[in-house]
Amino acid sequence: CYYYAFDQMPTTIPKLTDENRLTDTELQVSIPDDGVWYFHLICEDNAGNISPQAEHYSIKVDREISGIVIKSPTHAKDEFANQINVHLQWKARDAGSGIEGYYILLEQKVVDRFEVERAEWTKDEERVYKNLSDGIWYFHVLARDKVGNISSDPAIYKFGIDTVAEAPEIGSPTHPENYGWCKEDNAVLTWQPVADLSGVKGYLYWLDNKPYTQPQKEFSNFTEQTKVELTLPGEGIWYFHLATLDQAG
């Protein structure tokens, strides 16, 4: 008869128990997980002698790819950025045969049915896409390992690009534009909210006597409101400058 063991240890010696005893020369086992498994066998003859050493037979099983991780140093997942060049990185985990390569696809919609014929095959684990247009993008990745397994569903990384923030239209109930000279030195400025792809974070504003100043984060005032009240520094022509600051920056 024979005594066997089946595990993931390379040098296990089977126990001499009825549970591990075989009288046939064939055994069917169920392998629970991917990885390297070992079948161990010793023999007992009719005189009760036990083979001095066990035989060990290794089995390598790789049935699936466990997962793909995607990240980007330029564009956070599910968020907008104002950069048109995106750097994407990815890596699959596979405990068995190892990763052979990847099928990658960048679209402006989620691909319901991923067809590898439409995707790009690569062995790289990063890619820079340049000059992308404004909008929401979806980066899809499938992995293929060295025995031909392909991940069942693609990993998807969603990000947005928004490079334009529209300027709001400004009005004033106290100092209408082109109305002429006013004696009131307390000015109220108002404007309507603007639509923006990534959403409006707030507004940058600045008051000076220059007609073409562009508000910047470094020196401008910030507000989330659509109205400000200012005291004019003195007589003369003053200019109120306003810029939209969106969620993409």
Side-chain angles (χ1 to χ4, degrees):
C1 67
Y2 305 91
Y3 296 91
Y4 79 95
F6 187 72
D7 58 23
Q8 290 190 285
M9 305 297 293
T11 58
T12 298
I13 304 299
K15 296 180 180 179
L16 304 180
T17 64
D18 290 341
E19 183 180 358
N20 299 331
R21 189 171 182 270
L22 287 174
T23 56
D24 295 330
T25 57
E26 181 178 319
L27 177 67
Q28 186 174 19
V29 295
S30 176
I31 302 176
D33 301 305
D34 288 3
V36 181
W37 294 82
Y38 296 90
F39 179 70
H40 316 277
L41 191 69
I42 58 176
C43 177
E44 180 182 9
D45 64 18
N46 292 327
N49 299 307
I50 305 295
S51 50
Q53 294 181 336
E55 288 294 319
H56 310 282
Y57 187 87
S58 64
I59 302 172
K60 297 178 179 179
V61 179
D62 186 1
R63 294 169 292 196
E64 63 180 5
I65 297 169
S66 57
I68 303 171
V69 176
I70 307 174
K71 61 182 181 178
S72 171
T74 58
H75 292 68
K77 187 176 182 181
D78 297 326
E79 295 184 10
F80 278 87
N82 58 10
Q83 300 181 56
I84 60 175
N85 299 332
V86 57
H87 185 186
L88 293 160
Q89 301 167 323
W90 60 92
K91 191 172 185 65
R93 300 185 299 272
D94 186 77
S97 61
I99 299 298
E100 178 72 18
Y102 302 90
Y103 297 99
I104 60 175
L105 183 65
L106 182 65
E107 295 278 347
Q108 286 196 277
K109 63 179 181 179
V110 175
V111 176
D112 295 329
R113 183 180 178 185
F114 193 107
E115 298 176 348
V116 296
E117 295 79 10
R118 293 183 53 224
E120 177 186 350
W121 167 255
T122 181
K123 293 189 176 183
D124 297 331
E125 293 184 332
E126 63 179 340
R127 177 62 51 86
V128 174
Y129 291 95
K130 296 184 177 182
N131 300 318
L132 296 180
S133 60
D134 283 12
I136 299 175
W137 293 86
Y138 300 88
F139 182 62
H140 306 69
V141 181
L142 280 178
R144 189 180 78 193
D145 65 20
K146 293 181 179 179
V147 296
N149 295 314
I150 297 177
S151 28
S152 56
D153 295 305
I156 300 176
Y157 190 90
K158 175 186 175 184
F159 63 94
I161 297 176
D162 184 6
T163 59
V164 178
E166 298 291 340
E169 184 175 342
I170 307 170
S172 174
T174 59
H175 293 71
E177 192 172 27
N178 300 323
Y179 178 77
W181 294 90
C182 299
K183 63 179 182 180
E184 179 64 49
D185 59 359
N186 293 319
V188 177
L189 289 305
T190 62
W191 56 93
Q192 293 297 318
V194 297
D196 188 86
L197 183 62
S198 61
V200 174
K201 184 176 183 180
Y203 303 91
L204 300 173
Y205 68 91
W206 188 249
L207 180 73
D208 61 20
N209 55 6
K210 301 175 183 179
Y212 301 114
T213 301
Q214 179 63 37
Q216 301 293 331
K217 296 178 184 178
E218 292 74 18
F219 63 82
S220 299
N221 301 300
F222 174 79
T223 180
E224 295 179 353
Q225 308 302 316
T226 56
K227 175 183 176 181
V228 295
E229 298 183 15
L230 301 171
T231 299
L232 301 179
E235 294 183 349
I237 299 176
W238 296 94
Y239 295 90
F240 179 74
H241 313 280
L242 184 69
T244 302
L245 180 64
D246 64 17
Q247 298 291 346

